[in-house]
Amino acid sequence: MTKKKKEQRSNKWAFLLYQDSAPEDYLDILENMHIPYVLSPWHDKDINKSTGEFKKAHKHGALFFDSLKSYSQVSNLLTEKLNTPAHIEIVMSPKGMYDYFIHAANPDKSPYDIDDIESGCGFELDKFIAEQATDDFLNEIIDLIEDNHITEFEDLVKYARDNNYLLLSLIIDKTYFFARFLDSKRYKPRTKKNEEEKKTAKDN
């Protein structure tokens, strides 16, 4: 490893955790480290393109520190506590990391379930998922409004809370957009009705 790499510093570091070498209580160990973390589902369906065989089952993970940490500090911590490979990477794009967690941007690869993402120590998983999948969730919420004929913001919030809590933080974050969208849905039928009444009166 080059000296330059050892001196790299970041507060967000990504790592690999192999199922066959990870401690059984890896989640307890992560909790006891008191560092916010997020882990992908077990990637147990990835294919090695060269051999056509399954790759070793593994998780992609990331630690989110309060301050900058060096490559060596984090690598040593992870290899000692979780028996991970020594190689780690700076998280350059949380969205890219999220996409890779579930292969969201790789339709040719086996998809993984978003519900199998693990996190802890204060990592705000719901907020993270909503932020990384904003476009998909926006479309889902709009479809939800249309399919359920929702016209009140309060009803939208209640529906999301009861049926899909992952959408709730995005709805709250985009309150202005959804309030205006619902306003327009209420206004449109009134406008259409007024136009029909005017047309009827004119015809008579």
Side-chain angles (χ1 to χ4, degrees):
M1 186 195 309
T2 65
K3 182 179 179 182
K4 184 177 180 181
K5 196 169 189 72
K6 284 184 178 181
E7 292 175 349
Q8 282 183 311
R9 297 176 69 81
S10 175
N11 64 340
K12 297 184 287 291
W13 287 97
F15 62 93
L16 275 178
L17 181 70
Y18 284 101
Q19 193 170 35
D20 62 1
S21 57
E24 289 186 9
D25 60 343
Y26 66 91
L27 285 176
D28 290 334
I29 292 171
L30 281 164
E31 290 292 337
N32 289 330
M33 287 165 59
H34 304 296
I35 303 164
Y37 68 88
V38 61
L39 298 170
S40 74
W42 284 114
H43 281 208
D44 52 7
K45 303 179 188 67
D46 290 2
I47 302 294
N48 186 317
K49 291 184 179 180
S50 300
T51 64
E53 298 177 346
F54 285 112
K55 294 181 180 179
K56 290 200 309 182
H58 60 278
K59 282 179 177 286
H60 297 269
L63 296 178
F64 293 78
F65 296 89
D66 291 334
S67 58
L68 297 178
K69 301 295 180 184
S70 71
Y71 181 105
S72 297
Q73 281 178 299
V74 180
S75 177
N76 292 340
L77 176 68
L78 287 166
T79 53
E80 177 187 344
K81 299 288 188 181
L82 293 170
N83 198 29
T84 67
H87 180 72
I88 58 175
E89 296 279 352
I90 292 175
V91 177
M92 304 300 293
S93 167
K95 176 168 174 53
M97 181 184 71
Y98 164 79
D99 287 345
Y100 202 76
F101 272 11
I102 59 173
H103 288 167
N106 301 95
D108 57 322
K109 292 186 177 182
S110 298
Y112 293 103
D113 193 339
I114 192 173
D115 292 332
D116 292 331
I117 293 177
E118 298 173 310
S119 65
C121 290
F123 185 86
E124 297 179 284
L125 182 59
D126 294 353
K127 182 179 179 182
F128 172 75
I129 291 174
E131 287 175 349
Q132 310 318 316
T134 297
D135 291 343
D136 291 339
F137 281 144
L138 279 173
N139 287 325
E140 187 172 342
I141 295 168
I142 291 170
D143 289 343
L144 183 157
I145 291 170
E146 298 287 353
D147 294 344
N148 293 278
H149 308 292
I150 295 173
T151 57
E152 299 296 333
F153 186 76
E154 181 183 6
D155 294 336
L156 176 62
V157 171
K158 287 180 178 177
Y159 188 97
R161 185 186 64 186
D162 294 340
N163 295 277
N164 191 336
Y165 71 94
L166 288 177
L167 302 181
L168 190 56
S169 60
L170 182 61
I171 290 170
I172 293 170
D173 185 56
K174 303 291 184 184
T175 295
Y176 179 78
F177 168 79
F178 287 114
R180 290 298 301 272
F181 181 68
L182 291 169
D183 285 345
S184 70
K185 283 182 65 65
R186 286 194 303 273
Y187 177 74
K188 189 174 180 180
R190 289 200 301 269
T191 303
K192 185 176 180 181
K193 182 180 178 181
N194 291 340
E195 289 175 350
E196 289 174 348
E197 289 174 349
K198 288 179 182 178
K199 185 176 185 300
T200 301
K202 184 178 180 180
D203 292 341
N204 290 337

